[in-house]
Amino acid sequence: MTARRMRLLGVGAVAAAGLVAGCSSADGPGAAAPIVDPFADCSVLTPDQITEALGASSLTPQHHPPVCVWHVARGEAQSDVTFTAVRQQSLQQAWQRAEQDGYRLEHLTIVQDIFGTRTTATGFYLRSPTDPGDCAVSAASNGTTVTWRVRNHSHSAAPDPCAAALALIKLTVDLSP
């Protein structure tokens, strides 16, 4: 079991405990339980997971929620990596917005075999029409549209920003059966 899945299971346990506590508290029935959102902060992946997925030599956080940004050194290449999560937005809505903003779009399917069961998630690449060093991948994860974007400072397609964004989205999207 991956550290991310263990963290999500822990988050689920905390949420369940909050619901039980909320139902049995002195505040009475109907008391609001805290909402736990695994995408609410910039710890959706650990710094080590991001560094390993990108083959980075350094990773420096730049901003905090709701938009998470890291500066990444990959050899001589410098990139900015961005993570966003939008609740209650379908992939179709995200696709339409990206299309209106002029991005080149391409469908993708993320496939993983878990406990002998093949699971899939749908998503898409967003490529800048003017910058080959800018690429994002969006996918659905438990009712949330998540996006990882990689922008090479050199505006060059090397190292491949789409491969980096795809590696991060594969670590983020929950494909458990």
Side-chain angles (χ1 to χ4, degrees):
M1 184 175 292
T2 66
R4 179 180 171 278
R5 287 207 174 93
M6 289 175 59
R7 186 173 57 246
L8 288 176
L9 286 173
V11 168
V14 170
L19 286 172
V20 170
C23 291
S24 62
S25 72
D27 294 334
I35 297 173
V36 179
D37 181 356
F39 300 124
D41 62 19
C42 293
S43 63
V44 65
L45 296 178
T46 67
D48 287 343
Q49 286 174 304
I50 296 169
T51 300
E52 184 178 328
L54 298 176
S57 55
S58 72
L59 177 74
T60 308
Q62 299 293 314
H63 296 92
H64 295 286
V67 177
C68 307
V69 180
W70 296 266
H71 177 74
V72 179
R74 297 187 281 165
E76 294 295 315
Q78 304 290 313
S79 304
D80 287 323
V81 176
T82 307
F83 172 77
T84 56
V86 181
R87 289 221 171 273
Q88 300 175 348
Q89 174 182 287
S90 71
L91 272 179
Q92 182 63 36
Q93 290 168 319
W95 175 281
Q96 289 170 343
R97 181 173 180 170
E99 194 172 50
Q100 290 170 353
D101 290 344
Y103 288 94
R104 293 185 333 231
L105 306 173
E106 177 185 339
H107 290 280
L108 69 92
T109 302
I110 301 166
V111 179
Q112 191 174 47
D113 289 321
I114 301 174
F115 304 120
T117 302
R118 185 178 185 153
T119 58
T120 62
T122 57
F124 60 93
Y125 290 101
L126 298 93
R127 290 182 171 93
S128 170
T130 59
D131 184 355
D134 181 4
C135 185
V137 176
S138 289
S141 184
N142 297 322
T144 300
T145 298
V146 294
T147 302
W148 282 97
R149 177 182 216 141
V150 177
R151 292 182 182 156
N152 294 337
H153 292 190
S154 67
H155 304 285
S156 167
D160 186 349
C162 290
L166 181 61
L168 293 167
I169 207 83
K170 285 180 176 181
L171 292 171
T172 306
V173 173
D174 182 11
L175 292 176
S176 51

